[in-house]
Amino acid sequence: MKRFLSATAALAVTTGMAAAEYNLTILHTNDFHARFEPISRFDSGCSGEDDAEGKCFGGSARLVTAIADAKARSDNAILVDGGDQFQGTLFYTYYKGALAAEMMNKMGYDAMTVGNHEFDDGPEVLRGFIDAVDFPVLMSNADVTREPLLAETLPKSVVIERGGERLGLIGLTPQDTDELASPGDNITFSDPVAAVQEQVDLLTADGVNKIIVLSHSGYGVDQRVAAETTGVDVIVGGHSNSLLSNTNEDAVGPYPTMVGDTAIVQAYAFGKFLGELNVTFDDEGTLVRAVGEPLIMDATVTADEATVARIVEAALPLDEIRNTVVADAAEAIVGERDACRARECEMGNLIADAMLARVQDQGVEIALQNGGGIRASIDAGEVTKGEVLTVLPFQNTLSTFKVTGATIVAALENAVSQHEEGAGRFLQVAGISYAFDVSQPAGSRISDVMVGGAPIDLEKLYGVVSNDYVRNGGDGFDMFKTAQDAYDFGPDLADVTAEYMAANAPYTPYLDGRITAK
């Protein structure tokens, strides 16, 4: 196992403060999802022309500059990541974790936690990434002892030194990662509260009194961890793509969000922001001040030229694939996370319609697409293969199978069971309509289910098309694992969607009320 002990930096003492107080700047990112190039306001690809006109955000080259500038403003800083560096663009499809490791090493990260998408290609790709980075990758709430690829490489916590003080860092990943990704059968995940408290107690016993949790568990879980543990000073979050801010009207909470004495931060996703939290500890290690704001990576941040050149070089093998125009969109197609994980969304209708159209001649009546599998919007005009792959980056294939109407209703109940958390299991549909009521308890929220214009028959066997991830139990859809006549090896979902758009060009997005919130 690697041993990590960072070089010390000079301690900044603010005029008028007691000499024993300790100041630290925590720079942080989360849910980067291979957005090495700048992104549009839709979190999708952004052309060079639009970037030159100041319409783009993020990208590794801007982050390199912003991180260097932020470190220069502070004599005492760390840089950490809240997970999900993997998956989301052709860069990941082609390079897996190698380019992420290269860029994170260049930026000088001190630690990161494992996100669920770090397991998308199993333990082997994650192990390759861990071996390539110059910093610890952490995960406290999982037992990896039976997985030989990870057993000696994934510490639960680590101590680093900065400014003459020891900082305890703890990693946290979603408890349902086995449903969200492909960690394999040798890894088990556990409750985050108990896992964090165990590491806090060990660190405290070792004399560490400044403890930071790197959590890829979502804003809601982070608040629970803060409330139900003792000794955690800061939680750097991820997974829910939450924008926390004191100035942005789209923020879901303040930056930081204080729960008791614990400061919680998160910086949206895709490299659009760099989080900057400034904290002060007294001489007993008590957090006495936490202030800051996520910094937007817009055109005012100058891109580092060497990094721009490296990303251009890395993109060369991808250009032929992604620049191919495959369709036209008459209007922007909304596929944003907040829409597709909560209600009927335009991109969900497009994808579900495309799935159903592809296999309708096989007797399939219902199409189901998990909202979490929809990763971006598409703007109006020419649509490239790269844009479609950014929306649907997971290389999922069409799966056809048969289940009863009762199983379909159970699946819809699962789909809305975590609606309040914005979970990716929310289902976009075609050939079927339904209503849900989140004021009711989970498991009793679905009503008015109609298939082909008629009420669903709970005993009838229906033909269904979904993606192979959902059919094999992803996002909690275990009820599909034992489906009849299952075939998981259909065409790639991105190809199916692109071909459907081309056949209906220019494609006009729409909503028709197939999903109703009561």
Side-chain angles (χ1 to χ4, degrees), residues 69-373:
D69 289 348
K71 287 182 176 180
R73 290 193 297 272
S74 170
D75 295 326
N76 210 39
I78 62 171
L79 174 63
V80 293
D81 185 75
D84 271 8
Q85 281 282 327
F86 286 14
Q87 199 64 264
T89 68
L90 277 176
F91 283 104
Y92 178 76
T93 304
Y94 191 85
Y95 292 104
K96 298 306 178 184
L99 189 58
E102 178 185 339
M103 287 295 115
M104 294 183 81
N105 286 341
K106 180 183 181 73
M107 294 175 198
Y109 277 82
D110 291 289
M112 73 173 283
T113 191
V114 178
N116 52 287
H117 284 290
E118 268 73 70
F119 282 111
D120 276 356
D121 288 286
E124 184 175 2
V125 172
L126 175 56
R127 173 59 186 266
F129 173 80
I130 292 170
D131 288 343
V133 296
D134 300 332
F135 52 84
V137 180
L138 309 173
M139 184 169 64
S140 67
N141 63 319
D143 181 357
V144 298
T145 56
R146 295 187 300 111
E147 176 46 66
L149 285 168
L150 298 177
E152 299 299 324
T153 63
L154 263 179
K156 295 176 183 292
S157 63
V158 71
V159 178
I160 66 172
E161 187 175 309
R162 191 58 40 90
E165 293 286 333
R166 299 169 75 216
L167 309 175
L169 307 178
I170 302 169
L172 201 57
T173 204
Q175 188 175 355
D176 57 350
T177 290
D178 56 336
E179 297 178 359
L180 300 174
S182 303
D185 296 331
N186 295 330
I187 303 174
T188 56
F189 298 86
S190 60
D191 178 70
V193 171
V196 167
Q197 191 64 63
E198 179 183 47
Q199 294 305 304
V200 170
D201 293 345
L202 290 170
L203 291 166
T204 301
D206 189 36
V208 178
N209 61 8
K210 301 171 185 66
I211 295 176
I212 301 166
V213 175
L214 311 182
S215 171
H216 193 81
S217 299
Y219 187 43
V221 172
D222 289 346
Q223 292 174 78
R224 180 167 75 88
V225 170
E228 298 179 14
T229 60
T230 58
V232 175
D233 297 299
V234 178
I235 299 177
V236 175
H239 190 49
S240 55
N241 294 20
S242 301
L243 175 59
L244 303 183
S245 170
N246 305 308
T247 61
N248 193 308
E249 62 182 13
D250 295 326
V252 299
Y255 184 103
T257 296
M258 297 300 301
V259 176
D261 296 325
T262 304
I264 300 171
V265 293
Q266 195 174 151
Y268 185 57
F270 311 127
K272 190 172 184 178
F273 295 88
L274 172 66
E276 183 182 35
L277 181 69
N278 296 292
V279 296
T280 300
F281 296 89
D282 66 17
D283 57 1
E284 295 180 352
T286 301
L287 183 68
V288 296
R289 177 176 174 268
V291 297
E293 184 72 10
L295 310 173
I296 191 163
M297 298 294 100
D298 60 14
T300 64
V301 180
T302 302
D304 175 72
E305 292 184 4
T307 307
V308 170
R310 175 67 185 108
I311 298 303
V312 168
E313 178 186 34
L316 290 175
L318 318 180
D319 284 344
E320 183 176 352
I321 302 170
R322 64 180 178 179
N323 291 334
T324 303
V325 176
V326 295
D328 288 281
E331 302 170 13
I333 309 169
V334 175
E336 294 175 2
R337 177 191 184 100
D338 289 348
C340 295
R341 296 183 179 214
R343 57 188 179 274
E344 177 189 1
C345 73
E346 293 170 344
M347 191 69 75
N349 285 357
L350 164 59
I351 295 166
D353 287 350
M355 296 165 76
L356 188 58
R358 185 61 172 257
V359 296
Q360 207 158 18
D361 61 354
Q362 300 175 27
V364 173
E365 301 171 77
I366 297 168
L368 306 173
Q369 166 65 28
N370 57 315

Side-chain angles (χ1 to χ4, degrees), residues 25-43:
T25 298
I26 302 171
L27 305 173
H28 60 97
T29 54
N30 59 276
D31 299 276
F32 185 70
H33 287 300
R35 296 304 206 276
F36 302 103
E37 295 178 318
I39 58 173
S40 72
R41 63 190 180 93
F42 296 107
D43 299 333

